[in-house]
Amino acid sequence: FWSDIPSDADYLSPMHPLNDPYTPDDTERFLTFEPDSAGWNNIRMAMETALVMSHAMGRTLVLPPEQKIWNLEEEDDSQKSVFGFNDFFHLDAISVEHKGFKVITMEEFLVREAMQGKMVEYGTNTTSYPPNKQTSWDGAHTKPLFDYLRKIGNTPHWEPYDCALAIPSSTEPDAVEELKTTLQSIMDGSYGKPKPTLQEFNSNPTPVDAPMAERMREMVADKKGEGDQKLCLYDKPLQEAKLIHMKSSDGARLLTHFYAFIFFADWKQDLWSKRFVRDHLRYVDDIMCAAARIIEAVREHARKNKSYEANRDEGIYDALHVRRGDFQYPPTQIPADELYEISKDALHQGSTVYIATDERVSNGSRMQGENCVYTFESF
């Protein structure tokens, strides 16, 4: 699944200062973001989008402070209770390996930039310092910090459901204009095809190397913005901003997959970004190894399962992902017996079943009666 492509490590976005003829080579610009306020999967998804954005824009990614994460809190003081993204991903190693990706902590950013008087209120020349000149925010209440970042950064109002973030093929004015005129031709019909709909692309995806207009049609098909509002353009004012800050509220939540939000004019840059995430943004070894140990333990149970003879030597088992605690709405809390009825045709009767869930399956459920069921807590 993972590939190590040496040439990918040297790739620079066309927005990077070393590729931008209008920016001095030693310029450093930043992207900060507010973590999503929901559970880990939403937090991870928004971070992934911010990471791809930072590389696409040629910016240093500033990681938020370590914070508590919903459903990962521990009452036991002997265990870690606040987390940063480096607890889950090899971000520092990725930064070392890739020429076009740089990552720093929030504390480093505040010490090196804000406390040195290098940050001003956006749109003014008024020097602005962090609240109470505080630089360490790990485990602290972060609203004052994020309010400060909103004040000193260009804080675009990008709603992924309304628009696609369009990254031009270069910093030349013609590149931005090409994105605008292409969208206009798609929406007014002058491109020669009707306005795109999601149904058009069901089981009919656009080739990855298709002309820009064809790829744009697919990207904006489900965007709710009207007319030219279907694209959020990364234009000259944004490129020149020292800091871009992405908020997580007020209609600008990055609750999306990066490949459904970020549109690259250059299809090769699009594919590079997808390879970058696929090949490098994976969990740290401690997490991967713990998962591998559980998988091997499940396989060992499957080998001993006398109720299901097929493939016993290989330790074959069935698996389900049942989300519970991070779903807040009653209709999503499907009872175990109903889950069994929905899933039984895909399960092998008598097989070993591993259920990835944050809730124990009831001892009286039909699933446990028909199969050998294990969860994380079984190990």
Side-chain angles (χ1 to χ4, degrees):
F1 179 74
W2 301 323
S3 299
D4 185 11
I5 304 173
S7 60
D8 277 0
D10 294 326
Y11 177 76
L12 294 176
S13 164
M15 304 295 119
H16 193 282
L18 294 177
N19 277 341
D20 180 4
Y22 304 102
T23 300
D25 288 353
D26 60 352
T27 300
E28 186 175 15
R29 294 167 176 151
F30 304 89
L31 185 140
T32 55
F33 68 100
E34 301 171 17
D36 195 85
S37 57
W40 168 246
N41 190 56
N42 289 350
I43 293 171
R44 178 203 56 79
M45 190 163 58
M47 181 280 297
E48 196 173 84
T49 302
L51 181 147
V52 174
M53 287 171 56
S54 70
H55 187 281
M57 298 174 181
R59 295 176 175 274
T60 295
L61 179 66
V62 182
L63 298 176
E66 294 186 357
Q67 294 291 296
K68 290 186 176 181
I69 296 178
W70 185 38
N71 279 344
L72 292 183
E73 303 99 334
E74 286 289 349
E75 296 181 1
D76 184 354
D77 292 338
S78 67
Q79 299 189 49
K80 188 174 176 67
S81 61
V82 295
F83 300 92
F85 289 108
N86 274 317
D87 290 317
F88 299 93
F89 302 103
H90 298 282
L91 296 178
D92 289 334
I94 299 172
S95 179
V96 170
E97 182 179 350
H98 289 82
K99 185 177 180 181
F101 176 66
K102 186 176 180 181
V103 60
I104 61 175
T105 65
M106 181 62 68
E107 184 171 3
E108 182 178 352
F109 170 73
L110 294 175
V111 169
R112 177 155 62 86
E113 299 294 326
M115 292 304 296
Q116 300 304 313
K118 298 179 182 179
M119 303 306 300
V120 299
E121 293 186 19
Y122 186 73
T124 76
N125 288 319
T126 304
T127 302
S128 185
Y129 295 94
N132 301 317
K133 295 189 175 181
Q134 180 178 339
T135 57
S136 178
W137 292 81
D138 287 347
H141 177 56
T142 53
K143 185 178 185 304
L145 171 65
F146 292 147
D147 287 344
Y148 168 72
L149 295 172
R150 293 185 185 193
K151 184 171 65 172
I152 63 172
N154 183 322
T155 307
H157 191 86
W158 292 335
E159 171 50 66
Y161 292 101
D162 292 335
C163 69
L165 170 60
I167 305 296
S169 58
S170 76
T171 57
E172 298 295 338
D174 289 350
V176 174
E177 192 60 30
E178 181 185 21
L179 287 166
K180 292 179 179 179
T181 57
T182 300
L183 178 64
Q184 182 178 350
S185 70
I186 290 171
M187 301 312 296
D188 66 18
S190 61
Y191 178 66
K193 291 186 176 182
K195 289 183 180 180
T197 63
L198 282 179
Q199 290 71 25
E200 177 183 346
F201 303 101
N202 283 342
S203 302
N204 184 37
T206 302
V208 296
D209 59 350
M212 183 177 73
E214 290 296 311
R215 294 184 295 109
M216 186 183 292
R217 289 186 75 251
E218 184 176 26
M219 178 62 89
V220 302
D222 68 335
K223 301 304 180 186
K224 303 186 187 313
E226 295 294 332
D228 62 1
Q229 299 302 307
K230 287 184 179 291
L231 283 187
C232 298
L233 290 165
Y234 186 71
D235 55 15
K236 183 178 179 181
L238 286 165
Q239 170 70 354
E240 293 178 345
K242 181 169 184 175
L243 171 66
I244 288 182
H245 177 70
M246 299 304 302
K247 55 187 179 180
S248 64
S249 59
D250 303 328
R253 188 180 179 191
L254 287 180
L255 188 58
T256 184
H257 296 290
F258 74 91
Y259 46 79
F261 175 52
I262 305 175
F263 176 79
F264 294 95
D266 182 353
W267 66 268
K268 293 181 180 178
Q269 186 179 10
D270 177 56
L271 290 189
W272 182 92
S273 296
K274 291 169 181 172
R275 291 198 306 271
F276 179 58
V277 173
R278 179 198 68 188
D279 296 339
H280 302 283
L281 194 61
R282 56 180 183 265
Y283 286 120
V284 296
D285 293 349
D286 286 349
I287 295 176
M288 297 298 295
C289 291
R293 289 194 296 271
I294 291 176
I295 290 172
E296 180 54 35
V298 177
R299 288 191 182 281
E300 186 60 29
H301 281 285
R303 294 185 187 103
K304 298 176 181 178
N305 181 5
K306 296 180 180 180
S307 299
Y308 183 67
E309 294 294 334
N311 297 317
R312 279 187 64 192
D313 291 342
E314 291 83 2
I316 300 300
Y317 63 93
D318 294 325
L320 293 174
H321 179 198
V322 181
R323 295 174 65 177
R324 274 288 196 266
D326 59 345
F327 279 160
Q328 305 174 41
Y329 306 104
T332 67
Q333 305 289 334
I334 302 174
D337 285 344
E338 186 175 340
L339 282 173
Y340 175 75
E341 287 298 321
I342 295 170
S343 309
K344 66 180 181 180
D345 290 342
L347 300 174
H348 299 89
Q349 186 171 6
S351 68
T352 298
V353 177
Y354 179 77
I355 302 179
T357 184
D358 54 353
E359 178 179 312
R360 295 174 182 171
V361 179
S362 167
N363 288 331
S365 73
R366 285 187 60 193
M367 190 175 298
Q368 284 188 324
E370 300 288 343
N371 300 85
C372 298
V373 176
Y374 297 93
T375 66
F376 180 82
E377 292 188 351
S378 303
F379 306 97

